[in-house]
Amino acid sequence: MAQLIMVIDDEAGVRELLSDALKLAGFETVAAADAMVAQTLLRTVKPDLLIVDINMPLMDGFEFIERIREKGD
C-alpha cells in the first residue's frame, strides 16, 4: 500500500507540482489550500507525512504544526 502524503500550500501551482511529483514516485497524495482546510481534512484522513508551507494566510505553517501536535498528532 502506498504511503499517503498531505501537501499544504496556498499556491495552487506549488500544490499541483508537488502532488504530481509525489504521485509519479508512487505516493498517494491529498492537498489542502491552507491550514484551516488541512485541519478539517485531518479529521477523516490520516496521512503518513505532511508537507507544510510556512508562509500561508490565516495560519502559518509553524502555528499549524503546533496545533496538531497539541492534539497528539
Side-chain angles (χ1 to χ4, degrees), residues 3-50:
Q3 291 184 325
L4 179 62
I5 299 175
M6 181 181 287
V7 177
I8 308 163
D9 198 303
D10 60 318
E11 294 184 37
V14 173
R15 273 194 322 272
E16 291 171 13
L17 180 69
L18 285 171
S19 293
D20 290 347
L22 290 165
K23 286 176 186 175
L24 286 172
F27 296 98
E28 293 180 27
T29 64
V30 62
D34 61 46
M36 305 306 280
V37 172
Q39 280 187 316
T40 302
L41 281 172
L42 286 173
R43 293 182 188 142
T44 57
V45 176
K46 299 299 177 199
D48 298 295
L49 178 71
L50 300 173

